[in-house]
Amino acid sequence: MAFDSYTLRNQFPILQQTAYGYPLAYLDNAATTQKPLFVLDAIQDYYRSFNANVHRGAHFLSDRATNHFEQARERLAHFINAPKNSHVIWSKGATEAINMVAYGLEHLLQKDDEILITSLEHHANLVPWQQLAFRTGARLRVLPLTSNGEWENEYQKYFTDRTRIFAATQVSNAIGVSTPLKTMIAEAQKYHAFTLVDGAQAVAHYPVDVQDIDCDFYVFSGHKMYGPTGIGVLYGKSQALEVLIPYQTGGEMVRHVAYQATEFNLLPYRLEAGTPHIEGAIGLAAACEFLTQQDRPALLAWEQKLANHVYTRLIKEGGIELYSPEKNTTLVSLSVPNIHTIDLNAYLDSKGVAVRAGSHCAHPLMAQLGVSGTLRASFACYNTLEEADQFCDVLLEAIEILGDD
Amino acid sequence: MAFDSYTLRNQFPILQQTAYGYPLAYLDNAATTQKPLFVLDAIQDYYRSFNANVHRGAHFLSDRATNHFEQARERLAHFINAPKNSHVIWSKGATEAINMVAYGLEHLLQKDDEILITSLEHHANLVPWQQLAFRTGARLRVLPLTSNGEWENEYQKYFTDRTRIFAATQVSNAIGVSTPLKTMIAEAQKYHAFTLVDGAQAVAHYPVDVQDIDCDFYVFSGHKMYGPTGIGVLYGKSQALEVLIPYQTGGEMVRHVAYQATEFNLLPYRLEAGTPHIEGAIGLAAACEFLTQQDRPALLAWEQKLANHVYTRLIKEGGIELYSPEKNTTLVSLSVPNIHTIDLNAYLDSKGVAVRAGSHCAHPLMAQLGVSGTLRASFACYNTLEEADQFCDVLLEAIEILGDD
Amino acid sequence: MTDFPTPHTVKQQLQACRSKEETFKALVTLSKALPRLSGEEKTEDNKIKGCESAVWLIVEEDAGRRYFRADSDAKLMRGVLVAVISLVTGKTQQAIQEKDLKAELAELNLSSYLTSSRSNGVLAILQALQA
Amino acid sequence: MTDFPTPHTVKQQLQACRSKEETFKALVTLSKALPRLSGEEKTEDNKIKGCESAVWLIVEEDAGRRYFRADSDAKLMRGVLVAVISLVTGKTQQAIQEKDLKAELAELNLSSYLTSSRSNGVLAILQALQA
Ligand SMILES: Cc1ncc(COP(=O)(O)O)c(C=O)c1O
Ligand SMILES: Cc1ncc(COP(=O)(O)O)c(C=O)c1O
């Protein structure tokens, strides 16, 4: 394989530590990834050399800050193949981006209109739509996807002439399956619904082409793709962004303000009130550059190999329920009958293995699977086969100790 | 004086550079401040040692990240003398915090209710209220303050039984005057109005005691007080925060989610949807610590001395209109008849002086002053008398060259 | 199902642990001493809010003394419940309220249950016990 | 009020500048060559959106050639306007559109007017000239 995770790890100083005397195996990457030195250096460089407020100033530092900030937007546009920079709106993260759309479309929704989501959604791509439905009298409908991420038989009946918004995740954070995104979007388009894709779990692993997906909106968070916290992106087609009522108002997003009326600015600024998270935008652009410099197919193949390795070892053991697919995923999600995932988690932690237990912010999906939660090990490019084995070994040990009744 | 800005400057590597061959005099601190090494180190330390997602995880790194994140909240609470940590809600900045309140109170507003602001407000503390008024049929009223920040004669008539919200800045970003905050708040309380104070220009300079001010809400941005970008605070009294409808929904802010209904979490989490800006919170707490370690009265006295020095030099020259007060302010705001502030700004920049020209996001205030914009030099603790003189010298040179007709 | 242990036994068992692994094993052993609640007893009212695992707590009073029964769907939490309950059961409300339970848990090597991310759980239980 | 300078004079004056300060002085000199617009000509329609200072532009056509008159409330901007207009005035629309105005401004030491924070202004003017 063209790439070597052991070399790449040198970019991540945080991984070179022990936890309670054990090597730290950080397998909680679907929650947040670690940051390469390349990103940390970009942040330091910003604050040490050219920090200033953007757009409004005209001096040595503010010119440089503005140039870097707008170049960051350009890099992000390039990263997801957006046709123009102005399609990239900075947000705090995926959650804020979805809320921006839910708020911005409210004026177009009427009683008995329908908002369609899938059964695999994270709360971030569910609660904003549910609350929007409550406010407008629209109905929230749920497209049932099987736990393999496939369509149910009669999915057609969920799309109707009243479907105004269709929001779907690209990859499930809880069980790692990918959804049949392009066909779902195409189906929604037949009904002229606005389409939003939650790419939070996709961007770190898969190449994303928003023009190919052809959705109206695409959202993601920087911190899940090797970038800083507090920054994310709302991508939108021009016409889609144009109809959004600005979610926030204030400085930067206005042309002229009088007490009686305010004239808003053009895109992208119209949707970016206040001083932006300049450091975050520059750091996230550095994360894109870091990823672009890698052999991305090799990275993905490696992450999938680690997940598959764990899947294969555990399925052989028996007595473990696996919810993630065997292949083509970068995480493993499981439960063990009669042992609480929180107990497994605590035991794994005590031996240096960082994973996540619980509902993964997807209560309805857990209900559908018939569990209160799962244990999730999620991989990033810097993880190693040793870490995958450390997870399996300690998990089996935990089952032995905790299963003792 | 107990403090020495030349020593303090060593904490700010960005200031040790030249612009076009001239020493860089960064006098645009009201737009954003530079960050001390103490803050930069806290950011690096976070990403290099304990970056993880907070609250939802239970492992070595997430425990440490959560502890630091919640300690950051505690430090902020302490910094503004909030009675409990849960009164501190993280926001993207002052702008988002004001929008959170404007959105959250909408359900309490009726047609013909009144929202009262002052004539000194930044667009961030104006447009959200104006738009709220448009949405609800409430009236936006403007309490006229003189350009000395004093009450107009008949201010009483602006407070009425219909005044539901009173929002005022503590310090004007455009002209540097302080408002008669406590008496205004007390007046608003007589009418049981919700009170919000925009502290964006206050926190870096003045000690803030929210219990003493006794406002319902107090907002500010981290980047204007030596902290990172993308982070700020919404402080609120318990009862005030409790009535806010959550502005954003999604993960973290929920207790339980079903398709039919969602149970929200307790404060502060109820108002913090999604993965927070963890680095930002930790960096901002470091900025508070940095400030707390200084002799703050000495810092303020120094900043005021610099502003007063410039004021005194320029007033002697004649032909310059000064809008900021002579004393008790940390900035100088001016215009020169027949010379556009943008031209002055460009000339100053060419000699390394970074100031700001324009309306300072306060169009209505500019209209009141009868100018299209002003030139503003704003000081921070690391500025020097040499820089203040560099500003005056280059400004006078600019007036000579540009005034030549 | 063993007898409900005394604070002394709990202390001995937990303080002897030299690693997290040993603490877990000890908590598993302790957990077996917790009489499980019946389905009907696991009501919403008895549920303690803010725990990552489901925890139910029933307080009974007899002659001025308080007795606690509890359950959880997580085994280690049941072990923790045995430890905490051993510290307070059979005492008067006032005696319970005067205790510094956080400090006592820390002495039992259980302080990792008191960090802010997990505390939601155990701190809420302590509050319920001292209510 | 001097004659409207030729591209050649503009080039000579601006390319001779060895510092930003000299460029400013040259722009001030150039600005004097710009005939000011009357109050009535400064309409909202003639105003170019997106400039930090107010800029008005009037296009007139005569025998297939375009002539530009402009004004601004900022003096340096008036100097810049003289420079840009000298490059295009009296030419056909097609000839104007074929020009790489950004590159020509850069040659005139005016590239600092083309950075993204200030560009709003000058880039909007170039667009209007080439429309
Ligand atoms: C008085 C005042 N209020 C509000 C703001 C908005 O702050 P931010 O842009 O950080 O949200 C500013 C800063 O521009 C300000 O000076
Ligand atoms: C699929 C999915 N959508 C949305 C989110 C929300 O992202 P954030 O918390 O960064 O806003 C997450 C992450 O938690 C996620 O996994």
Side-chain angles (χ1 to χ4, degrees), chain A residues 93-95 122 124 169 173 198 200-201 221 223-224, chain B residues 56 274-275:
Chain A
T95 301
H122 185 280
T169 194
N173 66 308
D198 175 356
Q201 291 296 333
S221 299
H223 71 93
K224 292 187 198 282
Chain B
R56 286 173 289 180
T275 302

PDB file of all heavy atoms in Angstrom, chain A residues 93-95 122 124 169 173 198 200-201 221 223-224, chain B residues 56 274-275, ligand 2:
ATOM      1  N   GLY A  93     -20.457  24.458  12.629  1.00  0.00           N
ATOM      2  CA  GLY A  93     -20.322  23.018  12.462  1.00  0.00           C
ATOM      3  C   GLY A  93     -21.545  22.497  11.729  1.00  0.00           C
ATOM      4  O   GLY A  93     -22.393  23.287  11.275  1.00  0.00           O
ATOM      5  N   ALA A  94     -21.645  21.188  11.613  1.00  0.00           N
ATOM      6  CA  ALA A  94     -22.780  20.597  10.906  1.00  0.00           C
ATOM      7  C   ALA A  94     -24.099  21.005  11.566  1.00  0.00           C
ATOM      8  O   ALA A  94     -25.080  21.334  10.894  1.00  0.00           O
ATOM      9  CB  ALA A  94     -22.643  19.073  10.890  1.00  0.00           C
ATOM     10  N   THR A  95     -24.118  20.987  12.892  1.00  0.00           N
ATOM     11  CA  THR A  95     -25.353  21.297  13.611  1.00  0.00           C
ATOM     12  C   THR A  95     -25.847  22.697  13.261  1.00  0.00           C
ATOM     13  O   THR A  95     -27.022  22.890  12.917  1.00  0.00           O
ATOM     14  CB  THR A  95     -25.119  21.205  15.135  1.00  0.00           C
ATOM     15  OG1 THR A  95     -24.674  19.885  15.430  1.00  0.00           O
ATOM     16  CG2 THR A  95     -26.392  21.499  15.904  1.00  0.00           C
ATOM     17  N   HIS A 122     -28.562  11.340  12.749  1.00  0.00           N
ATOM     18  CA  HIS A 122     -28.043  11.911  13.998  1.00  0.00           C
ATOM     19  C   HIS A 122     -29.061  12.961  14.467  1.00  0.00           C
ATOM     20  O   HIS A 122     -29.744  13.573  13.646  1.00  0.00           O
ATOM     21  CB  HIS A 122     -26.705  12.567  13.660  1.00  0.00           C
ATOM     22  CG  HIS A 122     -25.942  13.124  14.819  1.00  0.00           C
ATOM     23  ND1 HIS A 122     -26.230  14.345  15.385  1.00  0.00           N
ATOM     24  CD2 HIS A 122     -24.885  12.643  15.509  1.00  0.00           C
ATOM     25  CE1 HIS A 122     -25.362  14.591  16.365  1.00  0.00           C
ATOM     26  NE2 HIS A 122     -24.541  13.564  16.466  1.00  0.00           N
ATOM     27  N   ALA A 124     -28.728  15.844  15.152  1.00  0.00           N
ATOM     28  CA  ALA A 124     -28.493  17.133  14.493  1.00  0.00           C
ATOM     29  C   ALA A 124     -29.291  17.258  13.201  1.00  0.00           C
ATOM     30  O   ALA A 124     -29.679  18.355  12.798  1.00  0.00           O
ATOM     31  CB  ALA A 124     -26.999  17.315  14.191  1.00  0.00           C
ATOM     32  N   THR A 169     -28.468  11.604   5.784  1.00  0.00           N
ATOM     33  CA  THR A 169     -27.049  11.513   6.055  1.00  0.00           C
ATOM     34  C   THR A 169     -26.380  10.722   4.943  1.00  0.00           C
ATOM     35  O   THR A 169     -27.005   9.861   4.315  1.00  0.00           O
ATOM     36  CB  THR A 169     -26.795  10.868   7.424  1.00  0.00           C
ATOM     37  OG1 THR A 169     -25.440  11.096   7.791  1.00  0.00           O
ATOM     38  CG2 THR A 169     -27.052   9.370   7.403  1.00  0.00           C
ATOM     39  N   ASN A 173     -23.342   7.841  11.573  1.00  0.00           N
ATOM     40  CA  ASN A 173     -22.312   7.901  12.602  1.00  0.00           C
ATOM     41  C   ASN A 173     -22.420   6.742  13.576  1.00  0.00           C
ATOM     42  O   ASN A 173     -21.441   6.324  14.168  1.00  0.00           O
ATOM     43  CB  ASN A 173     -22.396   9.221  13.375  1.00  0.00           C
ATOM     44  CG  ASN A 173     -23.671   9.321  14.181  1.00  0.00           C
ATOM     45  OD1 ASN A 173     -24.755   9.124  13.632  1.00  0.00           O
ATOM     46  ND2 ASN A 173     -23.557   9.618  15.455  1.00  0.00           N
ATOM     47  N   ASP A 198     -26.225  15.473   5.065  1.00  0.00           N
ATOM     48  CA  ASP A 198     -25.371  15.589   6.242  1.00  0.00           C
ATOM     49  C   ASP A 198     -24.095  14.801   5.965  1.00  0.00           C
ATOM     50  O   ASP A 198     -24.085  13.568   6.032  1.00  0.00           O
ATOM     51  CB  ASP A 198     -26.113  15.033   7.458  1.00  0.00           C
ATOM     52  CG  ASP A 198     -25.249  15.014   8.714  1.00  0.00           C
ATOM     53  OD1 ASP A 198     -24.052  15.357   8.624  1.00  0.00           O
ATOM     54  OD2 ASP A 198     -25.787  14.642   9.776  1.00  0.00           O
ATOM     55  N   ALA A 200     -21.290  14.976   7.690  1.00  0.00           N
ATOM     56  CA  ALA A 200     -20.379  15.036   8.846  1.00  0.00           C
ATOM     57  C   ALA A 200     -19.464  13.819   8.927  1.00  0.00           C
ATOM     58  O   ALA A 200     -18.289  13.934   9.251  1.00  0.00           O
ATOM     59  CB  ALA A 200     -21.178  15.198  10.144  1.00  0.00           C
ATOM     60  N   GLN A 201     -20.012  12.630   8.635  1.00  0.00           N
ATOM     61  CA  GLN A 201     -19.201  11.415   8.758  1.00  0.00           C
ATOM     62  C   GLN A 201     -18.550  11.008   7.442  1.00  0.00           C
ATOM     63  O   GLN A 201     -17.889   9.972   7.369  1.00  0.00           O
ATOM     64  CB  GLN A 201     -20.067  10.250   9.279  1.00  0.00           C
ATOM     65  CG  GLN A 201     -20.510  10.407  10.712  1.00  0.00           C
ATOM     66  CD  GLN A 201     -19.338  10.410  11.693  1.00  0.00           C
ATOM     67  OE1 GLN A 201     -18.291   9.833  11.420  1.00  0.00           O
ATOM     68  NE2 GLN A 201     -19.522  11.072  12.827  1.00  0.00           N
ATOM     69  N   SER A 221     -18.691  19.304   9.537  1.00  0.00           N
ATOM     70  CA  SER A 221     -17.934  19.943  10.620  1.00  0.00           C
ATOM     71  C   SER A 221     -16.443  19.767  10.376  1.00  0.00           C
ATOM     72  O   SER A 221     -16.014  18.673   9.995  1.00  0.00           O
ATOM     73  CB  SER A 221     -18.242  19.271  11.964  1.00  0.00           C
ATOM     74  OG  SER A 221     -19.597  19.390  12.288  1.00  0.00           O
ATOM     75  N   HIS A 223     -14.049  19.678  12.726  1.00  0.00           N
ATOM     76  CA  HIS A 223     -13.336  18.913  13.760  1.00  0.00           C
ATOM     77  C   HIS A 223     -13.366  17.416  13.506  1.00  0.00           C
ATOM     78  O   HIS A 223     -12.606  16.680  14.120  1.00  0.00           O
ATOM     79  CB  HIS A 223     -13.900  19.231  15.147  1.00  0.00           C
ATOM     80  CG  HIS A 223     -15.270  18.688  15.398  1.00  0.00           C
ATOM     81  ND1 HIS A 223     -15.484  17.462  15.981  1.00  0.00           N
ATOM     82  CD2 HIS A 223     -16.492  19.180  15.110  1.00  0.00           C
ATOM     83  CE1 HIS A 223     -16.794  17.257  16.067  1.00  0.00           C
ATOM     84  NE2 HIS A 223     -17.424  18.277  15.539  1.00  0.00           N
ATOM     85  N   LYS A 224     -14.234  16.964  12.620  1.00  0.00           N
ATOM     86  CA  LYS A 224     -14.281  15.530  12.294  1.00  0.00           C
ATOM     87  C   LYS A 224     -13.425  15.191  11.083  1.00  0.00           C
ATOM     88  O   LYS A 224     -13.418  14.065  10.607  1.00  0.00           O
ATOM     89  CB  LYS A 224     -15.729  15.092  12.033  1.00  0.00           C
ATOM     90  CG  LYS A 224     -16.620  15.130  13.280  1.00  0.00           C
ATOM     91  CD  LYS A 224     -17.978  14.516  12.975  1.00  0.00           C
ATOM     92  CE  LYS A 224     -19.033  14.907  13.982  1.00  0.00           C
ATOM     93  NZ  LYS A 224     -18.931  14.155  15.242  1.00  0.00           N
TER      94      LYS A 224
ATOM     95  N   ARG B  56     -19.894  13.569  25.846  1.00  0.00           N
ATOM     96  CA  ARG B  56     -20.515  12.323  25.437  1.00  0.00           C
ATOM     97  C   ARG B  56     -19.600  11.127  25.605  1.00  0.00           C
ATOM     98  O   ARG B  56     -20.035  10.008  25.610  1.00  0.00           O
ATOM     99  CB  ARG B  56     -20.998  12.450  23.995  1.00  0.00           C
ATOM    100  CG  ARG B  56     -22.245  13.311  23.924  1.00  0.00           C
ATOM    101  CD  ARG B  56     -22.624  13.583  22.506  1.00  0.00           C
ATOM    102  NE  ARG B  56     -21.675  14.501  21.876  1.00  0.00           N
ATOM    103  CZ  ARG B  56     -21.767  14.903  20.624  1.00  0.00           C
ATOM    104  NH1 ARG B  56     -22.729  14.456  19.861  1.00  0.00           N
ATOM    105  NH2 ARG B  56     -20.886  15.744  20.127  1.00  0.00           N
ATOM    106  N   GLY B 274     -24.888  20.795  19.466  1.00  0.00           N
ATOM    107  CA  GLY B 274     -23.743  20.388  18.650  1.00  0.00           C
ATOM    108  C   GLY B 274     -22.437  20.392  19.415  1.00  0.00           C
ATOM    109  O   GLY B 274     -22.363  20.796  20.574  1.00  0.00           O
ATOM    110  N   THR B 275     -21.406  19.921  18.736  1.00  0.00           N
ATOM    111  CA  THR B 275     -20.080  19.920  19.328  1.00  0.00           C
ATOM    112  C   THR B 275     -19.638  21.353  19.536  1.00  0.00           C
ATOM    113  O   THR B 275     -19.625  22.142  18.595  1.00  0.00           O
ATOM    114  CB  THR B 275     -19.082  19.215  18.387  1.00  0.00           C
ATOM    115  OG1 THR B 275     -19.547  17.891  18.148  1.00  0.00           O
ATOM    116  CG2 THR B 275     -17.695  19.177  18.993  1.00  0.00           C
TER     117      THR B 275
HETATM  118  C1  LIG E   2     -23.803  12.188  11.158  1.00  0.00           C
HETATM  119  C2  LIG E   2     -23.582  13.386  12.011  1.00  0.00           C
HETATM  120  N1  LIG E   2     -24.288  14.497  11.777  1.00  0.00           N
HETATM  121  C3  LIG E   2     -24.122  15.622  12.504  1.00  0.00           C
HETATM  122  C4  LIG E   2     -23.222  15.669  13.538  1.00  0.00           C
HETATM  123  C5  LIG E   2     -23.098  16.941  14.335  1.00  0.00           C
HETATM  124  O1  LIG E   2     -21.847  17.531  14.172  1.00  0.00           O
HETATM  125  P1  LIG E   2     -21.400  18.712  15.148  1.00  0.00           P
HETATM  126  O2  LIG E   2     -21.630  18.236  16.542  1.00  0.00           O
HETATM  127  O3  LIG E   2     -19.950  18.892  14.833  1.00  0.00           O
HETATM  128  O4  LIG E   2     -22.218  19.910  14.805  1.00  0.00           O
HETATM  129  C6  LIG E   2     -22.445  14.528  13.819  1.00  0.00           C
HETATM  130  C7  LIG E   2     -21.433  14.509  14.885  1.00  0.00           C
HETATM  131  O5  LIG E   2     -21.656  14.410  16.047  1.00  0.00           O
HETATM  132  C8  LIG E   2     -22.635  13.366  13.042  1.00  0.00           C
HETATM  133  O6  LIG E   2     -21.927  12.261  13.287  1.00  0.00           O
END
